[in-house]
Amino acid sequence: MYDDSGTCMAAYPTMSAAHVNSVFLAAADRIGTERTSGFMGNSLIPGTDGWPIGRIAGPDEDTILYADIDLTAARSAPIWNALNDLHRDRRTDLYDPMLGYRGGNALPR
């Protein structure tokens, strides 16, 4: 499923995830078909604002994407308003006991 620009549907949730979490992402997909399973391509690297850094690979393009990123930009990504600070507002008291980052017991793998 591709839109008029040749971008597959899966690229848009990837860009949205980068935007709502104010993080860089790298999403890679294969191309072609293997054992009746098709792969959509359209690898991309969205920035903290969700927009692709550089370009989105084509659906049939065998390529490697590169991007120069500023890791401090993830920490200083724009906040939508004064009441919304993604890093400050995390509820580590709810999920840290499961993950075990700060003294909680980590779940078995």
Side-chain angles (χ1 to χ4, degrees):
M1 294 185 260
Y2 300 92
D3 64 14
D4 293 339
S5 71
T7 303
C8 72
M9 176 274 312
Y12 294 102
T14 301
M15 293 186 287
S16 296
H19 173 69
V20 300
N21 291 292
S22 294
V23 296
F24 294 100
L25 290 177
D29 192 14
R30 298 167 57 183
I31 60 171
T33 304
E34 181 178 317
R35 291 190 227 144
T36 70
S37 294
F39 298 94
M40 301 180 82
N42 282 162
S43 298
L44 73 147
I45 303 171
T48 58
D49 60 0
W51 295 112
I53 299 172
R55 63 186 187 84
I56 299 175
D60 298 317
E61 182 181 1
D62 187 12
T63 190
I64 297 174
L65 297 178
Y66 297 91
D68 290 326
I69 61 171
D70 177 5
L71 294 177
T72 59
R75 289 269 185 213
S76 60
I79 298 169
W80 296 299
N81 62 51
L83 301 175
N84 187 14
D85 184 324
L86 295 175
H87 297 288
R88 184 194 67 217
D89 295 342
R90 293 181 302 158
R91 292 292 311 271
T92 57
D93 59 311
L94 297 176
Y95 63 77
D96 190 64
M98 286 189 301
L99 300 177
Y101 292 125
R102 285 182 261 195
N105 294 325
L107 293 175
R109 290 188 171 214

